[in-house]
Amino acid sequence: MLKMNKMRNKLVAIAMVGALALPLANFVSEDYTAAAASVSKYKVSAQPFSIGGKKSSIGTINKNGSVYIALRNLNTALGLTTNFNKASQIVNVSGNGRTLEINLTNNAITLNGQPISGPPVILQNNTTYLPLRFLLERMGYVISYQNSTKQISIQGIKENELQIQAAEIGADGDGKSLLVYYPVIKGYANEKVQNKINAFLKQESNLHIAEGSKQMEKAVKENNQILATNPKAEVRLPSFDGRFTITYNENGKLSLFVDYYLYMGGAHGITTRVPYSFDLATGDLISLKDAAGNAKYISIINSQIKEQIKSRNLELNAPFNLVGANQEYYLNHDGIVIYFKQNEYTSSAEGIPEFMISYSAFK
C-alpha cells in the first residue's frame, strides 16, 4: 500500500530582507471572513505610520512581536488593490506587477502563481489580519521601524520595469513525486536579454530536475523491493520540489534563488539553495567581485561574517572556513547575502544560515 508523502509545504523559500527588530504586518477586510468565525481577543492599538512620507495612525494588533493590520487601511495609500471572492473565500491583492492570493479556508498563499509559505491569518470582528512585513516585502516595499518614535515607515522600491511569473513542471507517478516552479521574466524592454535569461533559468531548472529524479530513483528501487516482498507494506514516496524567491529587482540587476527540496522517505529531507544574479544590460551572471565592487571584498565579507557569528551567538558545528571568490550569494535591497549549505556550519534545525553584508561596507 503506497502512502503519498506530502512534504512540499516544508520547503524553505523565504528571503529575509534586513534584520529589523520589529517584524511587521498586514491585512484583509471586513467582508473577507464570511465563512470564518469572528474572534475578538487581540487588542487593537494605535500605531504611528509613515507611508511614502505621509504620517498617519492606524489600529494594529501585536501578536508574538509581529504587527498585524487590516489591509483596508493601507491599500489606498500604497496603491494596492484587494478583491474578495465570497464563494471561494480567496482574497486577491495586486499591485507593482504582483498578484498575491490568500485562501482563507486553508491559509494557502500564492504569489504570481507560485505557492509560498506564510503566517496564519487573524480573524477578528469580521476582519482578517495578516503580517504587514510578509505582505509588503513581497509586494515591492521596504519597511523600517524607529525605536525612538515607535513609527513604522513604508516606502515603495523603485524596481526594474519587468514582471516575473511562475512556470510549473510537475509529475506524479512511477513511485515518486515532482513539482518545481521556476521564474519567467515578462515585459522587459530588452527582449533579447529577457529571452536569454529565461532560456538559462529554464535550462537550469531542467538540470536540477534531472538530478533530483536520479536521486529519487534510489528510493523508488528500495520501495519496490519492499513491496515485492510485502505488497501491503506502507512506504513513503520520494519527492522533489522547487520554489524560487526574487530578492532584488533594482538598478538594472535581478537577483533570486531557488530552493530545491529532496525528500527520500526518511524523517527529513534536505534543501539545496541555488542563487542567480543577472546584469539586465547583458543577461550575464554577476560575479561576487563585481557585485561588491571593491578589490578587498573577500576580507570585508569574512570580517563581517565573523562579527555576525559572534554578535548572533551562533553555535557552529565546525570552525568557520573563510569564503572565497566563488562563494554563492544573492542580492537584496540592503546588501549582499552570503549563505552556507544546510548542515555545513549549523544544525538542520537552523536551516540555511544567512549573513547580510551592507552595501556601505564595501565603500
Side-chain angles (χ1 to χ4, degrees):
M1 173 180 173
L2 296 178
K3 180 180 179 182
M4 177 68 74
N5 188 283
K6 300 296 183 181
M7 298 298 293
R8 293 172 181 158
N9 293 333
K10 293 185 178 180
L11 180 66
V12 181
I14 301 175
M16 297 301 294
V17 183
L20 302 175
L22 181 65
L24 308 178
N26 116 46
F27 195 137
V28 198
S29 96
E30 301 166 68
D31 298 327
Y32 289 6
T33 56
S38 180
V39 178
S40 182
K41 66 176 182 178
Y42 295 104
K43 180 182 179 181
V44 178
S45 303
Q47 167 66 50
F49 278 84
S50 174
I51 303 175
K54 184 177 180 180
K55 295 183 179 180
S56 62
S57 180
I58 302 174
T60 62
I61 290 173
N62 189 298
K63 179 184 178 184
N64 298 329
S66 296
V67 176
Y68 284 65
I69 191 168
L71 183 64
R72 67 175 184 270
N73 292 326
L74 289 175
N75 57 4
T76 301
L78 293 171
L80 298 175
T81 300
T82 63
N83 292 293
F84 176 64
N85 186 312
K86 186 175 180 179
S88 64
Q89 289 294 295
I90 292 178
V91 176
N92 181 293
V93 184
S94 60
N96 293 333
R98 297 164 171 84
T99 299
L100 187 84
E101 289 190 348
I102 305 166
N103 189 323
L104 299 183
T105 61
N106 58 12
N107 206 54
I109 305 172
T110 63
L111 177 61
N112 287 352
Q114 177 184 222
I116 61 174
S117 299
V121 300
I122 293 177
L123 306 181
Q124 180 164 298
N125 296 331
N126 296 319
T127 302
T128 306
Y129 296 84
L130 190 77
L132 179 66
R133 177 181 293 282
F134 170 80
L135 173 72
L136 295 190
E137 288 186 348
R138 286 155 183 80
M139 297 300 289
Y141 296 88
V142 62
I143 303 170
S144 60
Y145 178 74
Q146 295 179 331
N147 276 316
S148 58
T149 61
K150 308 299 182 184
Q151 178 178 277
I152 295 171
S153 296
I154 301 172
Q155 291 285 343
I157 297 174
K158 186 177 180 180
E159 297 182 309
N160 303 310
E161 294 185 5
L162 55 83
Q163 294 79 48
I164 301 167
Q165 298 294 321
E168 174 186 334
I169 299 175
D172 286 345
D174 297 326
K176 57 183 182 291
S177 174
L178 184 148
L179 182 60
V180 170
Y181 292 87
Y182 65 92
V184 177
I185 300 174
K186 295 183 177 181
Y188 188 49
N190 192 327
E191 189 173 351
K192 182 178 179 181
V193 167
Q194 175 177 286
N195 293 339
K196 179 179 179 179
I197 294 175
N198 283 339
F200 176 78
L201 291 173
K202 178 63 162 52
Q203 181 183 42
E204 283 285 290
S205 178
N206 287 336
L207 289 173
H208 286 282
I209 287 172
E211 180 60 29
S213 297
K214 181 179 179 181
Q215 292 293 321
M216 285 192 291
E217 284 301 325
K218 300 175 184 178
V220 171
K221 184 177 180 180
E222 292 177 359
N223 286 343
N224 288 339
Q225 290 174 344
I226 293 172
L227 293 172
T229 303
N230 181 6
K232 295 184 178 181
E234 190 173 274
V235 297
R236 294 179 176 180
L237 302 188
S239 63
F240 185 73
D241 298 85
R243 304 287 187 275
F244 68 88
T245 299
I246 305 300
T247 62
Y248 187 81
N249 182 26
E250 306 170 49
N251 302 313
K253 299 175 183 177
L254 176 67
S255 191
L256 62 103
F257 63 76
V258 185
D259 277 345
Y260 292 103
Y261 182 83
L262 176 64
Y263 176 73
M264 296 289 282
H268 305 284
I270 187 166
T271 298
T272 301
R273 178 163 295 176
V274 185
Y276 306 97
S277 292
F278 297 99
D279 181 342
L280 292 178
T282 62
D284 295 333
L285 290 171
I286 302 170
S287 68
L288 177 56
K289 179 181 179 180
D290 289 339
N294 187 314
K296 298 181 180 180
Y297 72 105
I298 293 294
S299 62
I300 293 172
I301 290 173
N302 284 322
S303 176
Q304 289 278 322
I305 291 177
K306 288 178 181 178
E307 290 180 9
Q308 292 186 40
I309 289 174
K310 183 177 180 180
S311 64
R312 288 156 59 178
N313 294 318
L314 288 179
E315 294 186 8
L316 305 184
N317 53 29
F320 171 56
N321 188 18
L322 302 182
V323 305
N326 295 322
Q327 175 64 41
E328 293 183 332
Y329 79 96
Y330 60 86
L331 305 173
N332 70 20
H333 181 72
D334 298 307
I336 295 175
V337 180
I338 302 295
Y339 68 90
F340 299 105
K341 297 177 182 178
Q342 195 173 8
N343 299 319
E344 184 176 359
Y345 286 114
T346 56
S347 65
S348 297
E350 297 293 333
I352 297 176
E354 299 172 328
F355 301 86
M356 198 279 289
I357 292 85
S358 172
Y359 295 121
S360 63
F362 299 101
K363 295 181 180 179

